[in-house]
Structure formats: structure tokens, C-alpha cells
């Protein structure tokens, strides 16, 4: 176990807590009390918990867990481990607000998200629900329902989104684990901005239900403070479910071996892996902040020292994506999904056009109206582009085991904005098919090209911290593998964190 001197219990990792619980040196009750204290002190400022379970209920569950450990009858891989859940996912006994001013799904709903079922089966304790944007439509975490979620390193800056509540909660010590969703970077962007570790797995690895309107762009993802904990959570939630038709296939890793993801934390040997380093996705990305470029290059040197064969593929042409209409395709799919959300809610709640326009996020309503202009042929053409792009990446993965690239193009900017002040200078999009300057300079997809590409290809992508900006906020790097190769992605992240300390930084005192 790591040196715990001066380290608040709320900052302990899940793997550390599990060891301490088993050794009877730490009680789940003391951990829960410290987390509740941390939430009371800091949630009013950073605003990431939008529903907190009753304190007495949480303490009772912690006490029940403590008794099991005392008697040697602990049960489950997460017994007594606190976890938070993004408020787009369903937890029985808790309301689901979805970041929206539309009617709240009451606590007595019957359906429960499959990954939520899995963590409860392993005796995790759900502390509460964490914030999102209105139905997760944008890459910042703010909405009329719950307000602004602020970066734990600088409360005047964004967390990213839409799973910013998850990333912020983990960073602040509101629980070592969290579950979020990702259809265009919603797990990886806030993980990078908040300095935590996370993974967006291949579509279907973690079952996603109810089915997302963003279709196969979207999946559930796992957050933690280090890659080892991400693996522990993946062992639990990466299970087949009949509620998600993409999760049913033969040869699932979880059916072939026990603890397939957490076991990788014990194997740090990445020597011989072919790692493709990309700083601009073969020229697709227009701008990357210089401090990000330096951090990725430094990370690449570490992988070289670990024995990887590193190639800068932007220079070789291996990652040339110019033949694909990526920008146009992603916009068409995203705007079409927004239109589906708005029309679906109008039908569900029997609302008029005026009523829905006055209720949902104005930006989401605006892009939904743009999405109405697309025909079915546009969406089908977009899916065809995705298939060709996926084939390209399948072949690329025969030569390279992993891609190492930036998590985002820029540092987190000031809250109350969807794009940075210098957006015209940094936007990816000008000159590409589908670019609309008046519209796109207002929207997140002009500064998030490193994330949405891998939603389009369905590949697993993990984010781990690799440095700090001069402004004091974290820099995240992304590690991407071929579809269904979460094992290599997680192995690389664990190896990197074995020899670096970026993941040990915390935004508030008394962290690691």
C-alpha cells in the first residue's frame, strides 16, 4: 500500500481501501464520514453532486459493510466502496434529472441501468448522482436544472463534459469511482481537464441502457483516480446484458478469464508494443496548444524508455484521414440525435413546439432544429463513412498496437462559455466539408476532434493525466487501441502510471 501519512481517507483509491478493509485497518464507516464531510465542504463551490443519498442511509450501508469485514463475510469486489453515478443513468430510489428542466424521472422508477446493477451486486455504496449537461448534449457541464459544475483545479474554468460531474467528484474525493457516458468525448474530456483516469471502452463492452439516442457513438465509461482502479471498476461493469444488444457476443473477455482488467495492473511489461504517436491525427486537427504537444512528446519518451517502439505517424502518413468526411459526418449524426431527443420529449410529455423550446437548453433546441434539415440518406451516408473509417483503423491497428495522442486541443477555458474566447484561431473545421462558420464557432465539436473520432470508430480510448498547464490545470493524454483491445490500453496506462506521478496530484490539500 502507498504511504498514507497525511492522506485523507476521501482520497484513498478503491484498491487501497479494499486492502485496508480486509486488513481491518480502515472502516467503511470512517471513509463514508470523511467523504460526506468533503462533499459538505466543497460541493457548494464546485457543484458536481446533484443528488446526495440520505446521510443516515449511507452510514448504515457503510456500517453493514464494516460488520461484514469484521466477521470475514465481506461479499463482492466493491464491498464498502463509495461510487457516484452520472445523472443520465438510472438508480432505483434516486431521481433522474438528466440535467434538464423537463419532468424529473421519480425515484420509484423500476428500471435500473445495467452497470448500476453490477456495482450494487458487488456491494458498492452509491453516494449520489452527479451532474451533466441537458441530456449530455455538449462538452461542458452546466445546465438550467443544476447550474455550473466547476473545475476542481480552478473554479473559474470548465470541467469539460458532459460527464464533468463524474470527473470532478473523483478529483475532489467524493468517492474513488464514478460511472459516466461518452458519445463524443464526454468521459475523456472531463477526465483530462480534472486530472483523473478514465476509459471509454469499445461499444458494447459495458452495456448501455436505456439505448442512447446517439446510437453506437455512445457508451458507458469508468472513472477513477488511477488506472488500477479503472480496471477494478471495469471488472465489475464490463459484463454482458440482454438490455444492450451490442453487449451480446461470443468470446467476451469477461467470460474467458477472472478479473480481466484489474489483473493488468500487475503486468507493466509493454516492451515491444508498437505505439503510434499522433499530434494532429494525420493533419485532421488544425490546432493543438503547445503545452499539450510538449506533454505528449514527454509521455512518448517514457514509453520509449519502457521498451515500446514509438513512431510519429503524422510524419509517415500512416494516419492520413483526408479521404473521409469526418467533420461533416459527426455533425450530421450529432445534430440528428439532438432532433430525436427534442421530438421524442415533445411526444413523451405532450408538449408544443413553444413549450419545448422554452424548457430545454436553448443551444440543444437550436441544433435540434438544424438536425431536422438532415434526411435519412444523410444519416445513412454518415454511417457508411463510419464503416470506411473503421476499416481504415482496423488496418492501422495491424501495424500499431496503440495510439498515443492528446486528449483535447486546448486547456479548460472559463465557465459560462461553450467555446474558448480564441475559438476562431483554434477551431478544427475551417475548410472541411460541413463547416459552417457562423454556427460551428459556437459549438464544442470545433475543439474536441481528438475525442469524437474514436466514438465514430468505436475504439477504446483511455485518458490519464500527463502534466499540468502553466495555468495550473491538468493535461490529459489519450491512449487508444483497436476495438476490443481494452487490455492493451489499460496495460499501457498502468505501465505509464507505474513510473510517473501525474495521477497522484490532487486539487485540494491532504491528497496523495
Amino acid at each position: 500500500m502507498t504511504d498514507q501519512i497525511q492522506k485523507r481517507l476521501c482520497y484513498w483509491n478503491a484498491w487501497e481501501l479494499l486492502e485496508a478493509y480486509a486488513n481491518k485497518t480502515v472502516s467503511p464507516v470512517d471513509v463514508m464520514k470523511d467523504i460526506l464531510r468533503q462533499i459538505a465542504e466543497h460541493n457548494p463551490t464546485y457543484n458536481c453532486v446533484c443528488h446526495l443519498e440520505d446521510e443516515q442511509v449511507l452510514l448504515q450501508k457503510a456500517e453493514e459493510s464494516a460488520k461484514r469485514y469484521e466477521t470475514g463475510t465481506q461479499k463482492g469486489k466493491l464491498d464498502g466502496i463509495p461510487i457516484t453515478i452520472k445523472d443520465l443513468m438510472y438508480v432505483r430510489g434516486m431521481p433522474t434529472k438528466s440535467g434538464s428542466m423537463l419532468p424529473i424521472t421519480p425515484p420509484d422508477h423500476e428500471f435500473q441501468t445495467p452497470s448500476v446493477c453490477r456495482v450494487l451486486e458487488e456491494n458498492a455504496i452509491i453516494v449520489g448522482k452527479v451532474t451533466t449537461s441537458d441530456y449530455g448534449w455538449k462538452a461542458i457541464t452546466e445546465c438550467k436544472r443544476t447550474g455550473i459544475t466547476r473545475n476542481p483545479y480552478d473554479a473559474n474554468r470548465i470541467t469539460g463534459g458532459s460527464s464533468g460531474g463524474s470527473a470532478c467528484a473523483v478529483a475532489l474525493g467524493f468517492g474513488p469511482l464514478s460511472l459516466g457516458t461518452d458519445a463524443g468525448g464526454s468521459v475523456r474530456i472531463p477526465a483530462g481537464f480534472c486530472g483523473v483516469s478514465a476509459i471509454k471502452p469499445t461499444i458494447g463492452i459495458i452495456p448501455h441502457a436505456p439505448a442512447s439516442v446517439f446510437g453506437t457513438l455512445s457508451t458507458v465509461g469508468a472513472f477513477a483516480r488511477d488506472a488500477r482502479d479503472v480496471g477494478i471498476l471495469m471488472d465489475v461493469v464490463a459484463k454482458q446484458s440482454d438490455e444492450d444488444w451490442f453487449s451480446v457476443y461470443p468470446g467476451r473477455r469477461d467470460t474467458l478469464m477472472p478479473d480481466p482488467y484489474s489483473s493488468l495492473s500487475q503486468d507493466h511489461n509493454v516492451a515491444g508494443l508498437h505505439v503510434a504517436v499522433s499530434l494532429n491525427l494525420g493533419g485532421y486537427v488544425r490546432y493543438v496548444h503547445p503545452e499539450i504537444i510538449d506533454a505528449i512528446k514527454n509521455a512518448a519518451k517514457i514509453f520509449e524508455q519502457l521498451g515500446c517502439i514509438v513512431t510519429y505517424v503524422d510524419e509517415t502518413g500512416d494516419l492520413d484521414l483526408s479521404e473521409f468526411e469526418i467533420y461533416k459526418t459527426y455533425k450530421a449524426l450529432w445534430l440528428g440525435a439532438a432532433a430525436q431527443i427534442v421530438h421524442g420529449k415533445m411526444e413523451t410529455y405532450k408538449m408544443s413546439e413553444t413549450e419545448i423550446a422554452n424548457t430545454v437548453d436553448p443551444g440543444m433546441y437550436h441544433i435540434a432544429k438544424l438536425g431536422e434539415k438532415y434526411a435519412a440518406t444523410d444519416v445513412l451516408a454518415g454511417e457508411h463513412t463510419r464503416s470506411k473509417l473503421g476499416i481504415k483503423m482496423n488496418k492501422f491497428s495491424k501495424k500499431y498496437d496503440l495510439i498515443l495522442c492528446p486528449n483535447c486541443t486546448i486547456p479548460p477555458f472559463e465557465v459560462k462559455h461553450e467555446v474558448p474566447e480564441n475559438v476562431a484561431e483554434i477551431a478544427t473545421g475551417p475548410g472541411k466539408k460541413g463547416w459552417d462558420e457562423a454556427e460551428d464557432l459556437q459549438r464544442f465539436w470545433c475543439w474536441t476532434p481528438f475525442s469524437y473520432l474514436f466514438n465514430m470508430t468505436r475504439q477504446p480510448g483511455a485518458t490519464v493525466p500527463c502534466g499540468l498547464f502553466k495555468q495550473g490545470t491538468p493535461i490529459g493524454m489519450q491512449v487508444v487501441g483497436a476495438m476490443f483491445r481494452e487490455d492493451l490500453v489499460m496495460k499501457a496506462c498502468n505501465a505509464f502510471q507505474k513510473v510517473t506521478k501525474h495521477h497522484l496530484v490532487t486539487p485540494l490539500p491532504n491528497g496523495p
Side-chain angles (χ1 to χ4, degrees), residues 28-321:
V29 176
D30 292 332
V31 173
M32 186 59 69
K33 286 180 178 179
D34 200 41
I35 285 174
L36 288 170
R37 169 189 160 195
Q38 187 80 339
I39 292 172
E41 289 179 357
H42 297 293
N43 198 56
T45 298
Y46 298 98
N47 188 40
C48 58
V49 176
C50 58
H51 174 81
L52 181 64
E53 177 62 284
D54 180 84
E55 182 174 324
Q56 293 307 311
V57 171
L58 292 172
L59 291 174
Q60 179 182 345
K61 291 180 178 179
E63 181 63 39
E64 292 169 356
S65 176
K67 289 179 179 178
R68 288 193 292 272
Y69 280 103
E70 288 170 6
T71 58
T73 57
Q74 61 265 31
K75 184 178 180 181
K77 297 177 181 179
L78 297 177
D79 199 342
I81 299 298
I83 186 171
T84 57
I85 308 294
K86 184 179 182 179
D87 196 30
L88 289 180
M89 304 168 74
Y90 291 84
V91 181
R92 290 193 198 104
M94 295 185 186
T96 302
K97 304 171 186 175
S98 302
S100 178
M101 295 304 292
L102 289 168
I104 294 172
T105 302
D108 59 355
H109 55 80
E110 293 186 6
F111 184 82
Q112 188 157 254
T113 301
S115 52
V116 172
C117 294
R118 300 294 87 78
V119 298
L120 289 174
E121 288 168 1
E122 301 294 339
N123 277 324
I125 302 174
I126 297 178
V127 176
K129 306 287 285 293
V130 285
T131 51
T132 177
S133 55
D134 199 333
Y135 283 92
W137 83 272
K138 57 185 176 181
I140 61 174
T141 303
E142 66 173 58
C143 61
K144 290 190 287 184
R145 172 67 72 179
T146 58
I148 299 170
T149 299
R150 298 173 180 272
N151 192 292
Y153 286 81
D154 183 343
N156 292 316
R157 298 183 183 275
I158 65 169
T159 58
S162 62
S163 302
S166 289
C168 185
V170 169
L172 289 173
F174 294 179
L177 306 176
S178 191
L179 290 174
T181 59
D182 188 317
S186 289
V187 164
R188 292 157 292 153
I189 294 167
F193 282 173
C194 296
V196 299
S197 302
I199 189 169
K200 174 204 80 70
T202 306
I203 304 302
I205 290 290
I206 302 177
H208 194 4
S212 171
V213 294
F214 297 103
T216 57
L217 293 174
S218 184
T219 185
V220 174
F223 289 85
R225 278 189 287 275
D226 68 6
R228 183 172 177 177
D229 265 8
V230 172
I232 289 173
L233 184 52
M234 282 286 289
D235 282 347
V236 171
V237 297
K239 303 287 186 182
Q240 182 271 329
S241 171
D242 293 341
E243 297 289 347
D244 180 353
W245 66 314
F246 285 100
S247 85
V248 183
Y249 58 90
R252 284 185 60 105
R253 191 172 302 279
D254 57 272
T255 67
L256 301 177
M257 60 185 292
D259 303 332
Y261 301 103
S262 63
S263 61
L264 295 168
S265 64
Q266 309 303 318
D267 179 8
H268 305 115
N269 182 15
V270 292
L273 290 183
H274 290 262
V275 176
V277 179
S278 177
L279 301 175
N280 58 30
L281 296 180
Y284 176 73
V285 179
R286 176 186 174 206
Y287 170 88
V288 182
H289 193 284
E291 292 178 52
I292 298 175
I293 292 175
D294 289 344
I296 298 301
K297 287 182 176 179
N298 288 335
K301 291 177 183 177
I302 290 173
F303 279 104
E304 281 186 317
Q305 294 167 4
L306 291 170
C308 295
I309 303 164
V310 172
T311 304
Y312 281 80
V313 292
D314 299 326
E315 301 168 4
T316 66
D318 288 339
L319 198 58
D320 181 7
L321 304 176

Side-chain angles (χ1 to χ4, degrees), residues 272-276 396-397 399-403 480-482 485 488:
L273 290 183
H274 290 262
V275 176
F396 180 89
S397 297
K399 185 174 182 180
Y400 299 101
D401 298 298
L402 296 167
I403 301 172
V480 179
R485 292 314 306 264
L488 287 184

Side-chain angles (χ1 to χ4, degrees), residues 189-490:
I189 294 167
F193 282 173
C194 296
V196 299
S197 302
I199 189 169
K200 174 204 80 70
T202 306
I203 304 302
I205 290 290
I206 302 177
H208 194 4
S212 171
V213 294
F214 297 103
T216 57
L217 293 174
S218 184
T219 185
V220 174
F223 289 85
R225 278 189 287 275
D226 68 6
R228 183 172 177 177
D229 265 8
V230 172
I232 289 173
L233 184 52
M234 282 286 289
D235 282 347
V236 171
V237 297
K239 303 287 186 182
Q240 182 271 329
S241 171
D242 293 341
E243 297 289 347
D244 180 353
W245 66 314
F246 285 100
S247 85
V248 183
Y249 58 90
R252 284 185 60 105
R253 191 172 302 279
D254 57 272
T255 67
L256 301 177
M257 60 185 292
D259 303 332
Y261 301 103
S262 63
S263 61
L264 295 168
S265 64
Q266 309 303 318
D267 179 8
H268 305 115
N269 182 15
V270 292
L273 290 183
H274 290 262
V275 176
V277 179
S278 177
L279 301 175
N280 58 30
L281 296 180
Y284 176 73
V285 179
R286 176 186 174 206
Y287 170 88
V288 182
H289 193 284
E291 292 178 52
I292 298 175
I293 292 175
D294 289 344
I296 298 301
K297 287 182 176 179
N298 288 335
K301 291 177 183 177
I302 290 173
F303 279 104
E304 281 186 317
Q305 294 167 4
L306 291 170
C308 295
I309 303 164
V310 172
T311 304
Y312 281 80
V313 292
D314 299 326
E315 301 168 4
T316 66
D318 288 339
L319 198 58
D320 181 7
L321 304 176
S322 59
E323 66 180 286
F324 307 105
E325 296 180 351
I326 297 171
Y327 191 85
K328 176 184 176 182
T329 297
Y330 186 75
K331 268 187 64 177
L333 296 174
W334 196 264
L335 298 182
Q340 185 180 353
I341 292 174
V342 169
H343 282 280
K345 300 307 176 185
M346 286 176 65
E347 181 176 340
T348 298
Y349 300 117
K350 311 300 181 186
M351 300 176 76
S352 68
E353 185 82 25
T354 300
E355 288 172 327
I356 197 82
N358 291 333
T359 304
V360 301
D361 185 301
M364 185 173 75
Y365 179 76
H366 178 74
I367 68 168
K369 299 307 290 183
L370 296 177
E372 291 177 356
K373 300 177 182 179
Y374 289 94
T377 51
D378 296 314
V379 176
L380 291 173
E383 289 296 335
H384 185 58
T385 296
R386 285 184 69 189
S387 68
K388 292 189 295 182
L389 180 60
I391 292 169
K392 163 76 175 182
M393 297 311 298
N394 283 345
K395 294 178 179 178
F396 180 89
S397 297
K398 296 294 184 182
K399 185 174 182 180
Y400 299 101
D401 298 298
L402 296 167
I403 301 172
L404 180 67
C405 65
N407 182 60
C408 207
T409 60
I410 55 174
F413 46 86
E414 291 186 357
V415 296
K416 301 182 181 179
H417 301 281
E418 191 182 331
V419 295
E421 186 177 359
N422 65 335
V423 62
E425 302 168 16
I426 63 93
T428 286
K432 302 184 187 302
K433 287 187 177 181
W435 171 253
D436 179 342
E437 180 172 325
E439 176 62 35
D440 293 355
L441 287 180
Q442 304 177 60
R443 303 300 172 207
F444 73 88
W445 47 77
C446 73
W447 57 268
T448 60
F450 282 106
S451 54
Y452 64 69
L453 172 69
F454 300 112
N455 293 86
M456 294 176 68
T457 63
R458 301 194 296 158
Q459 292 171 258
T463 294
V464 293
C466 64
L468 290 173
F469 289 104
K470 292 177 182 177
Q471 70 181 29
T473 56
I475 300 173
M477 73 172 182
Q478 188 173 200
V479 181
V480 179
M483 283 199 301
F484 307 110
R485 292 314 306 264
E486 285 78 9
D487 60 325
L488 287 184
V489 171
M490 295 302 302

